[in-house]
Amino acid sequence: MSDQLRLGHPAGRFLHAEVEGFDSLAELALDLRWSWNHATDGVWRTLDPRLWELTHNPWVVLQTVSREQIQQVLADPAFRKNIDALLQAKRHETETAAWFQQKHPKAPLTSVAYFSMEFMLSEALPIYSGGLGNVAGDQLKAASDLGVPVIGVGLLYQQGYFRQVIDRNGEQQALYPYNDPGSCRSHHCVNQMASGCGWRSHCPDTPSGCGPGRSRSAG
């Protein structure tokens, strides 16, 4: 495991981090591109198919499954080969000049702040409601694919928007899932995401706040 993972990576604070190969899984899980590029879906489905279908959140799956399950799947040569291939593809995409770098290699633009009250990036990050979040999220994803150095600046709602369920009497019930700002399922899972989709969030009731994400730099 790299020193960077041990010291600065949220995965370094979990017991599973000492399992050989866990750092590779963590690198894939903390790449927000899984929300629109589903190449890694099979990895999380292999670890825990039911939990994956319930959450569609790689980081939750990786935190929840047992050490024994992680070791078992990592012992499969075919599984490890697939992980290596996914990592190689991810790193190649990150290191390869995208449209913006190719068309504007000497552009003075290094970052663009995109302020929005909501971003629809994934169901695993319930900080959106509808149309505004849909548009803002899609624009961040497009900027990522094009290599445009955009940083989303939004709010990490501790309860966020409610989820609707219908009870046995046919009446609507509103559920407000709690987003713990100190949990890797919330701000760490965003701030440590891959370089393609920069992000900065604000935690109103958290003194420590949330640190910056990383974005693909111009040039």
Side-chain angles (χ1 to χ4, degrees), residues 1 36-38 41 51-52 54 63 71 95 110 114 123 129 132 138 149 155 162 166 179 185 194:
M1 186 184 305
W36 70 93
N37 181 335
H38 299 282
D41 285 6
L51 184 59
W52 171 247
L54 288 173
Q63 288 186 72
Q71 290 175 324
E95 295 167 0
T110 57
Y114 186 166
E123 290 183 22
S129 178
L132 172 63
D138 283 351
L155 298 174
F162 72 87
I166 305 300
N179 298 324
R185 280 176 287 186

Side-chain angles (χ1 to χ4, degrees), residues 15-199:
L15 191 62
H16 297 338
E18 297 304 321
V19 175
E20 182 182 359
F22 179 86
D23 52 346
S24 297
L25 292 174
E27 183 175 344
L28 292 175
L30 291 173
D31 181 347
L32 192 56
R33 281 173 291 196
W34 54 255
S35 66
W36 70 93
N37 181 335
H38 299 282
T40 62
D41 285 6
V43 172
W44 321 119
R45 188 175 291 110
T46 298
L47 282 169
D48 191 321
R50 186 169 186 275
L51 184 59
W52 171 247
E53 292 303 320
L54 288 173
T55 66
H56 288 281
N57 188 327
W59 191 239
V60 170
V61 172
L62 202 54
Q63 288 186 72
T64 305
V65 297
S66 67
R67 172 190 289 262
E68 290 73 21
Q69 174 65 4
I70 293 176
Q71 290 175 324
Q72 180 179 341
V73 296
L74 287 173
D76 181 354
F79 184 85
R80 290 295 293 268
K81 183 178 181 180
N82 183 40
I83 293 296
D84 291 342
L86 289 169
L87 282 174
Q88 183 177 358
K90 168 188 173 295
R91 293 166 183 170
H92 179 266
E93 181 180 351
T94 302
E95 295 167 0
T96 301
W99 172 86
F100 185 82
Q101 288 73 40
Q102 293 176 17
K103 297 295 184 180
H104 307 281
K106 298 181 180 180
L109 182 67
T110 57
S111 61
V112 177
Y114 186 166
F115 293 86
S116 179
M117 295 294 290
E118 45 183 291
F119 289 97
M120 184 187 293
L121 300 174
S122 167
E123 290 183 22
L125 192 65
I127 56 171
Y128 62 89
S129 178
L132 172 63
N134 191 8
V135 171
D138 283 351
Q139 289 177 340
L140 279 188
K141 294 172 183 179
S144 170
D145 291 339
L146 293 171
V148 181
V150 173
I151 299 177
V153 184
L155 298 174
L156 178 57
Y157 300 99
Q158 291 190 346
Q159 287 193 321
Y161 296 100
F162 72 87
R163 296 188 179 185
Q164 174 182 298
V165 297
I166 305 300
D167 64 20
R168 66 178 63 184
N169 298 318
E171 298 180 354
Q172 173 184 305
Q173 299 295 328
L175 303 179
Y176 290 88
Y178 179 72
N179 298 324
D180 181 4
S183 167
C184 283
R185 280 176 287 186
S186 55
H187 77 271
H188 281 134
C189 195
V190 176
N191 296 329
Q192 300 293 336
M193 291 298 180
S195 58
C197 188
W199 171 270

